[in-house]
């Protein structure tokens, strides 16, 4: 599952798991600190915020060429964070907090370890489910009316984007995907429009002056149902065996797409 539906909202799973883990960690820390009559919520939140900030800074520096402005660097909606940098920053901040507040050591460690352990377990479960997901055996129509099976993409690293012309984030990320396809000829890009006729899609691509090697029509919404991909846009990354390696719900940026493609390449033997 890539997203969870809450009424009309479709929320990506990993951030929700992180939020849930952090809340549990804060509760554990508060319970331990209560016995010592020494609150630790502020200290743990400081550790979290500093680690996320450092992870974002490192990510931006790694993909600095992908950002066109300072405001794009501040836009965290692409969820571009360097995980290793965030973990390192969290460890350093936690040690500094323990040194500064030695009486809260037990509570700080209990909260931090609880949050990390829970998130690790939950994300492992999600990742295990993702590893079982593959390019579905589904035939879709191209814009010229001919049919193509998604499993024909096996043998190549593949990026599948689920989109629609009425979706503002989809429209904004189209030029990003077109640029990425041009700059990464070794990657197979497949854009699957959701529930719209061919003439609507063709007109949109013409107006936007966009060209893609593969644009397919999913008139019944079969593909998102296969992956629990509620909401648009969704970008799926498949290795050469057709297994799902990564996914991103929401608008991709130049930087987040470049990072995902790097991860996809590293997954290839």
């Amino acid at each position: 599952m890539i997203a969870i539906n809450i009424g009309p909202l479709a929320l990506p799973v990993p951030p929700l798991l992180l939020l849930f883990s952090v809340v549990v960690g804060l509760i554990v820390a508060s319970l331990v600190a209560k016995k010592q009559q020494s609150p630790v919520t502020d200290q743990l939140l400081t550790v979290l915020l500093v680690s996320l900030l450092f992870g974002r800074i490192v990510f931006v520096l790694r993909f600095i060429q992908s950002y066109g402005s300072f405001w794009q660097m501040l836009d965290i909606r692409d969820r571009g964070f360097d995980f290793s940098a965030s973990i390192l920053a969290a460890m350093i901040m936690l040690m500094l907090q323990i040194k500064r507040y030695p009486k809260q050591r037990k509570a700080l460690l209990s909260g931090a370890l609880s949050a990390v352990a829970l998130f690790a377990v939950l994300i492992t479960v999600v990742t295990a489910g993702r590893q079982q997901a593959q390019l579905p055996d589904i035939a879709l129509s191209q814009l010229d009316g001919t049919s193509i099976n998604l499993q024909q993409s096996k043998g190549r690293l593949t990026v599948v984007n689920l989109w629609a012309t009425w979706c503002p984030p989809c429209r904004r990320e189209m030029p990003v995907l077109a640029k990425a396809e041009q700059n990464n000829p070794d990657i197979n890009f497949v854009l699957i429009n959701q529930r719209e006729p061919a003439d609507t899609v063709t007109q949109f691509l013409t107006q936007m002056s966009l060209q893609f090697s593969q644009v397919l029509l999913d008139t019944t919404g079969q593909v998102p149902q296969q992956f629990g991909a509620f909401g648009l846009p969704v970008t799926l990354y498949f290795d050469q065996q057709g297994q799902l390696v990564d996914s991103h719900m929401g608008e991709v940026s130049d930087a987040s797409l470049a990072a995902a493609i790097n991860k996809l390449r590293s997954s290839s033997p």
Side-chain angles (χ1 to χ4, degrees), residues 192-218:
I192 304 180
N193 179 269
Q194 296 299 299
R195 303 174 185 269
E196 293 185 297
D199 57 348
T200 299
V201 177
T202 300
Q203 182 180 12
F204 168 77
L205 295 175
T206 301
Q207 290 176 345
M208 296 285 290
S209 300
L210 295 171
Q211 291 186 346
F212 295 98
S213 58
Q214 287 193 70
V215 179
L216 306 180
L217 304 174
D218 184 3

Side-chain angles (χ1 to χ4, degrees), residues 93-106:
M93 281 301 301
L94 183 61
M95 288 188 292
L96 290 176
Q97 294 287 47
I98 290 174
K99 184 177 181 179
R100 184 177 181 183
Y101 305 98
K103 294 183 179 180
Q104 300 174 342
R105 177 178 179 177
K106 185 176 180 180

Side-chain angles (χ1 to χ4, degrees), residues 251-265:
E251 184 178 350
V252 296
S253 64
D254 287 307
S256 63
L257 185 56
I261 289 175
N262 286 349
K263 179 179 178 181
L264 182 61
R265 287 198 180 103

